[in-house]
Amino acid sequence: MILSGDYHTHTPYSHGKNSVMENALAAKEKGLKEIAITDHGFNHILFGLRRRKLADLRRDVEEAERATGIRVLMGMESNLISLDGRTDMKESDLAKFDIYLAGIHSVLWYSSFKDMYNIMLANLIASKMGKRPAQKIVDATTRAYVNAVKNNPIDILTHINFRCCCDLEEVASVCAEYGTYIEINTKKRHVSPEELNIMAATGVRFVIDSDAHSAGRVGDTKIAEELLKEADIPLDRIDNIDGRLPTFRFEKYKKGI
C-alpha cells in the first residue's frame, strides 16, 4: 500500500527529529504527492509549536516544496482543550495554516481543571489501570470530540480513542456529516478492526497517516495494513491511497473567510 499523501508528520518545531526538508524528501522518495507538517499545538506544555516561529515554519515549508516538487502543507495537530470543543487553534491563527488536525493529548494547558479531568486525566488513569473509564467520562470525551468537529473546520481527527474512550459511532457520524476524516494512525494502535467497522458503517471516510516523528517513518502504512486485513472497510473509503487525494473542509472554509 502506497500513500498519496501523509498528513501527520512532526519536526523539531515541536517533537520531531528531522527538518521540514528531510520529511519532504522522504515523502518524495516514497512516491507521495503531498505531505503535511503538523507539529503539536500551541497549548502543549513540553512540545508545542510557538506562534513566534510560524513565519520560519512557512519559509521552510515553501523551500521544501520548491526543492522537492511535491506539495508541502503547513498544518498543526491542535489539541482539544475544553468540553465545548475548543482547540488551541484560535480563529486568528486559521489564515496562517493550510490543514487543520485535532486530537486529545496530555501535558496541556486546558481551559479549566474540569476540562482537563474529563478529557484527559480520568481517561489516562483508566488507561494506566487497563480499564475503561466510567460512562460519564466516555460521554464527556464524546461531547468534546463532537463539539470540536461541529465548531471548527477540522480536516482530520488524529489517533481517536488513544488513551481515551468515546462513543466511536457517534463521533464518526458527526465527522461524516461535517466532512472531517478519521485518521488510521500507524504510529500507535488506537482502534481495533471491529471499531474501524463500527465507524465505517456511519459513512465516514478515512486517511492513513504515519504520525512520523522522524523522516524514516514518513509514509509508513504497516499498522494500517494489519488492521485492514481484519476489518471490512473497502479501500475506496480511504482517500489518500492508490493515487487519490482527500478533499479537505478547511480549504473550503478558508475560501469563505
Side-chain angles (χ1 to χ4, degrees):
M1 181 183 295
I2 298 176
L3 298 188
S4 310
D6 190 345
Y7 301 104
H8 187 175
T9 74
H10 296 274
T11 73
Y13 280 100
S14 66
H15 194 207
K17 295 181 180 179
N18 293 100
S19 67
V20 173
M21 182 68 75
E22 289 169 326
N23 280 10
L25 286 169
K28 183 176 182 179
E29 290 172 4
K30 294 282 183 68
L32 276 64
K33 298 179 181 180
E34 299 181 339
I35 186 174
I37 307 300
T38 51
D39 281 299
H40 290 291
F42 301 120
N43 281 33
H44 199 296
I45 296 171
L46 299 178
F47 304 117
L49 181 62
R50 301 298 174 233
R51 287 182 174 87
R52 68 179 182 274
K53 294 288 188 178
L54 292 182
D56 294 336
L57 176 56
R58 175 59 70 184
R59 182 199 64 231
D60 289 352
V61 163
E62 292 177 350
E63 182 181 352
E65 184 166 285
R66 286 194 299 269
T68 62
I70 68 170
R71 190 182 186 203
V72 182
L73 302 171
M74 176 172 154
M76 187 171 82
E77 186 187 13
S78 65
N79 302 291
L80 274 67
I81 60 172
S82 72
L83 294 170
D84 63 8
R86 279 173 287 164
T87 78
D88 50 3
M89 178 86 84
K90 295 181 180 179
E91 187 173 354
S92 58
D93 298 317
L94 294 176
K96 302 178 179 71
F97 291 91
D98 306 318
I99 186 171
Y100 188 167
L101 279 60
I104 290 176
H105 298 86
S106 54
V107 200
L108 302 180
W109 297 114
Y110 282 88
S111 294
S112 69
F113 179 79
K114 178 182 178 181
D115 294 308
M116 180 184 71
Y117 178 79
N118 283 279
I119 296 173
M120 184 277 293
L121 189 58
N123 275 295
L124 184 61
I125 291 171
S127 173
K128 293 292 187 181
M129 296 175 66
K131 298 180 179 180
R132 183 176 175 84
Q135 188 60 43
K136 66 179 182 179
I137 298 300
V138 175
D139 293 342
T141 306
T142 302
R143 185 163 73 253
Y145 274 126
V146 166
N147 287 333
V149 172
K150 287 183 175 181
N151 298 331
N152 302 280
I154 295 168
D155 291 317
I156 302 170
L157 285 185
T158 62
H159 47 69
I160 190 170
N161 256 30
F162 179 68
R163 293 180 180 169
C164 60
C165 287
C166 68
D167 184 323
L168 289 170
E169 183 175 16
E170 183 175 348
V171 175
S173 294
V174 173
C175 287
E177 179 182 355
Y178 281 79
T180 294
Y181 285 95
I182 297 288
E183 174 186 82
I184 303 173
N185 185 293
T186 68
K187 182 175 185 286
K188 48 183 72 86
R189 291 183 179 273
H190 58 107
V191 289
S192 68
E194 294 76 20
E195 289 170 331
L196 280 179
N197 289 339
I198 289 170
M199 291 189 289
T202 69
V204 74
R205 302 192 71 81
F206 300 90
V207 291
I208 296 171
D209 283 330
S210 68
D211 193 359
H213 285 59
S214 62
R217 285 206 61 258
V218 169
D220 176 69
T221 60
K222 185 175 184 293
I223 288 177
E225 291 185 55
E226 292 170 354
L227 287 170
L228 291 168
K229 285 179 181 177
E230 299 181 45
D232 297 320
I233 302 174
L235 293 184
D236 62 8
R237 294 284 297 280
I238 302 169
D239 281 355
N240 63 331
I241 61 172
D242 300 334
R244 295 189 299 276
L245 296 174
T247 300
F248 288 127
R249 64 182 287 204
F250 185 47
E251 186 174 0
K252 296 179 181 178
Y253 174 87
K254 285 188 68 176
K255 290 177 181 178
I257 64 174

